[in-house]
Amino acid sequence: MRVTIRRILNREDEQVIIECAEITPEVRDIRAYALAKGTALTGMTTANRMERFELQDVYYFEALDEKVFAYTKDKVYEIKGRLYELEKTYTAYHFARCSKSVVINLMLLGSISPALNGRFFAHMKNGEKLIISRQYAPAIKSIVMGGGKDER
């Protein structure tokens, strides 16, 4: 595989072009990574400070008590919006619903293991273990095993 980097004058003209013989899971991962780079979110920390953070650093979003939180490696941010909106907006960035209250970043998923009653555990790269409910398990398994959705 060749990798070429060309310098351009305007930041607005930056783009990533992937030329491939076949759209494989690896190519989809590269696309998702490129899309997520530079996508900043804003949230409130537990110390009541408004901060910006990168989408690629979010391990998962969770809805609790009418609030939505973004979990990164080191911090938790309360963010504006609804979980279904985040799911819809960030599907192309490899975020997927894994339960009624959680949307995970599949790029930061380490592994999946079986749990009871058709559920699974999502072992995130930061060591956290999340439940993948029965309802969402088939879709998550399909995406992870390479049978995911085509490009949007």
Side-chain angles (χ1 to χ4, degrees):
M1 176 189 297
R2 277 182 307 137
V3 176
T4 304
I5 299 174
R6 271 185 295 185
R7 226 164 152 187
I8 59 173
L9 297 175
N10 298 319
R11 186 176 269 307
E12 300 83 37
D13 294 333
E14 287 181 343
Q15 66 176 330
V16 174
I17 298 172
I18 301 171
E19 296 178 330
C20 57
E22 182 180 345
I23 299 175
T24 63
E26 291 81 12
V27 170
R28 284 190 184 101
D29 289 348
I30 292 167
R31 178 183 181 271
Y33 179 79
L35 287 171
K37 281 303 260 186
T39 301
L41 301 171
T42 304
M44 188 71 73
T45 66
T46 52
N48 278 339
R49 292 182 46 183
M50 186 68 76
E51 291 184 9
R52 291 179 63 81
F53 57 98
E54 296 293 320
L55 176 64
Q56 69 198 28
D57 296 332
V58 175
Y59 281 81
Y60 61 97
F61 295 106
E62 182 176 30
L64 292 169
D65 300 327
E66 303 292 321
K67 296 178 182 176
V68 177
F69 298 92
Y71 292 81
T72 65
K73 185 175 184 177
D74 301 317
K75 292 187 179 181
V76 177
Y77 300 94
E78 182 180 341
I79 60 172
K80 301 286 184 211
R82 297 279 190 211
L83 199 60
Y84 72 88
E85 295 169 337
L86 295 168
E87 176 187 17
K88 183 177 179 183
T89 302
Y90 299 128
T91 296
Y93 300 86
H94 279 199
F95 280 80
R97 178 81 68 138
C98 71
S99 69
K100 183 178 175 185
S101 61
V102 176
V103 172
I104 62 172
N105 181 349
L106 296 172
M107 299 298 288
L108 296 177
L109 174 66
S111 64
I112 295 175
S113 64
L116 297 175
N117 299 325
R119 297 181 307 167
F120 288 83
F121 289 115
H123 301 271
M124 304 306 288
K125 289 182 178 176
N126 66 350
E128 287 200 54
K129 189 163 68 170
L130 304 169
I131 289 288
I132 301 172
S133 70
R134 279 191 318 236
Q135 179 181 354
Y136 299 100
I140 296 287
K141 281 178 25 182
S142 173
I143 294 166
V144 170
M145 299 306 282
K149 299 171 186 160
D150 285 336
E151 309 319 308
R152 298 178 195 280

